[in-house]
Amino acid sequence: MKRLLVALTLLGGCAHTQKPAAPTEQHVTMEPMIFSAQPAGTVETVDAQSLFERAGAAYGEKDFDAALALFDRVVHDFPDSRFVVPSLYNAGLSLEAKNDLTAAAARYRRITVEHPDAKDTPAVIDAWYRLGFVLSQAKNWPAAVDTYAQILARKDLGLGDRIEAMARRGVAQFSAHDLLAAEHSFRDELAYFHAHEAEERLDSDFFVAMGAYYLGECAHEMYKALPVRLPEKQLTRDLEAKARQLLVAQSRFLEIGRASCRERV
């Protein structure tokens, strides 16, 4: 979901008078403008759309410092503009490119907190996912788990988005060494997918495969965590327990291969 957000075209409105014979008066919704006096004596006219376009061009040229400054300027100078949400989002992408994950997360979080009901709902959802992603990249696993939990509380997610959030939450739990919670998340993900796969076709089964793979990894990590102790009777019991857990992990990994073969048929 890493994409540069573009703005909608300017909205136009046409109002009619009560006198049909009179010339029709047209009204166009315009973005606010700022007139700034320059040292050379000229006056610079700046609006949110022109700044947004300049920022997008800088981003395209990989001048992320300039892009960030311009996107932030849109947000600061035009707080009521429809360009604010995409500017915050794109500022986050610019910061990711600069490897400033903390600041990127702050930009995405502003969208989720300050603009949760924005008209451009996909942009808000994208911001939630980018927030979860950068928190994971920063290895802030508790915050990532909480973010994906908040995403999953939404009622407007399609099958693909929900499966992705369930898989990524499970990976965050796994990375935090909460194996029981991770296993539960991956089981829920796969069960949800199989319950709804006939209703909506996924563009990719990547996150389904991710869930199946990590379900095997959970079993493998549990196998490695089992102790091996003396005396001999305890050692025998421990080795038997490890063998059983290893078979669980093996069967889960084999199921991934069988599922892959079924997909190819």
Side-chain angles (χ1 to χ4, degrees):
M1 288 197 171
K2 186 175 182 179
R3 59 186 178 88
L4 195 70
L5 291 186
V6 296
L8 302 174
T9 56
L10 280 174
L11 300 176
C14 180
H16 61 275
T17 65
Q18 294 181 347
K19 299 179 180 179
T24 301
E25 183 180 4
Q26 294 185 337
H27 298 272
V28 179
T29 303
M30 300 289 291
E31 287 285 333
M33 292 185 180
I34 291 178
F35 297 88
S36 176
Q38 302 300 303
T42 59
V43 176
E44 179 188 31
T45 303
V46 180
D47 62 87
Q49 183 171 1
S50 63
L51 283 177
F52 186 85
E53 291 171 350
R54 285 166 55 193
Y59 186 95
E61 295 171 0
K62 300 187 184 304
D63 187 350
F64 301 116
D65 288 323
L68 175 63
L70 289 167
F71 284 130
D72 280 347
R73 186 177 171 188
V74 172
V75 176
H76 180 269
D77 291 352
F78 303 95
D80 298 321
S81 170
R82 59 193 171 86
F83 290 91
V84 167
V85 169
S87 291
L88 282 169
Y89 184 92
N90 292 344
L93 294 183
S94 301
L95 286 159
E96 282 190 62
K98 289 162 54 66
N99 201 36
D100 190 344
L101 300 180
T102 300
R107 298 304 195 285
Y108 299 134
R109 189 175 283 109
R110 282 190 62 181
I111 297 176
T112 67
V113 173
E114 299 175 14
H115 307 274
D117 301 316
K119 292 181 180 179
D120 189 5
T121 302
V124 177
I125 294 176
D126 282 354
W128 274 108
Y129 280 87
R130 293 312 301 174
L131 175 58
F133 178 80
V134 297
L135 290 171
S136 296
Q137 289 293 100
K139 301 187 187 310
N140 188 346
W141 305 121
V145 170
D146 180 67
T147 296
Y148 287 118
Q150 291 184 69
I151 292 172
L152 290 167
R154 297 181 68 100
K155 305 300 183 184
D156 54 354
L157 299 180
L159 178 61
D161 285 345
R162 188 164 295 278
I163 290 299
E164 178 180 350
M166 295 174 87
R168 291 194 182 279
R169 178 181 62 177
V171 171
Q173 291 166 329
F174 178 88
S175 300
H177 306 292
D178 191 349
L179 297 180
L180 292 178
E183 184 174 53
H184 184 75
S185 289
F186 294 128
R187 286 185 181 279
D188 283 352
E189 177 208 349
L190 297 177
Y192 188 89
F193 168 70
H194 291 304
H196 297 277
E197 60 180 322
E199 301 169 12
E200 183 179 340
R201 184 177 179 84
L202 296 181
D203 294 332
S204 167
D205 61 357
F206 177 82
F207 290 104
V208 177
M210 177 188 285
Y213 170 78
Y214 272 97
L215 197 57
E217 280 295 306
C218 285
H220 187 234
E221 288 298 315
M222 291 175 184
Y223 154 77
K224 293 194 297 183
L226 289 174
V228 177
R229 299 162 292 185
L230 292 171
E232 186 175 348
K233 286 186 178 180
Q234 182 63 54
L235 177 63
T236 300
R237 288 193 293 267
D238 287 348
L239 290 176
E240 288 175 348
K242 287 182 78 74
R244 288 192 297 270
Q245 188 62 35
L246 184 60
L247 287 174
V248 171
Q250 183 183 51
S251 67
R252 290 179 181 177
F253 287 127
L254 288 173
E255 179 56 31
I256 299 172
R258 286 193 291 267
S260 178
C261 290
R262 287 195 295 269
E263 288 293 326
R264 294 192 182 99
V265 174

